[in-house]
Amino acid sequence: MNGGRTRPRLELERTTLVKARRTAQHPPQGAAERSAAFGWCRTQTLTITEIAWRLRLPVQSVKVLVADLITEEVLMTVAARQEDPKDPDVLERVLAGLHAL
């Protein structure tokens, strides 16, 4: 999946938001995890931690994977948005992220 690398090509935080680029129409070649991350990010904006939780992989491995997809112009980072901390969707995402730890 990562070619044995443990460090991402880009500096990414656990909370970095990513989504698929509009120009990326087809799943990326390679490991199934790449296609899965692309598929989820086509329909919603996710954090690195959320992707790690869905893939059942360590956050550091997902940072490498996502950095590769960003470098290949498949995914892109999104500026953090201000959200209501009492919003149930936000609380569910935080809980999912904590479970991923």
Side-chain angles (χ1 to χ4, degrees), residues 1 3-4 7 11 13 17 22-24 27 34 36-38 41 44 47 52 54 59 61 79 81 86 91 99:
M1 176 181 77
R7 295 186 186 259
E11 188 67 33
E13 300 295 327
L17 293 166
R22 289 183 188 160
T23 56
R34 293 168 52 89
F38 171 72
C41 291
Q44 56 194 309
T47 64
R54 289 175 182 215
V59 171
S61 296
R81 57 188 182 268
K86 295 178 186 171
L91 295 174
H99 284 291

Side-chain angles (χ1 to χ4, degrees), residues 18-24 37-38 41-44 74-76:
V18 294
K19 69 177 185 177
R21 289 185 170 272
R22 289 183 188 160
T23 56
F38 171 72
C41 291
R42 284 186 77 184
T43 60
Q44 56 194 309
V74 173
L75 299 181
M76 60 187 275

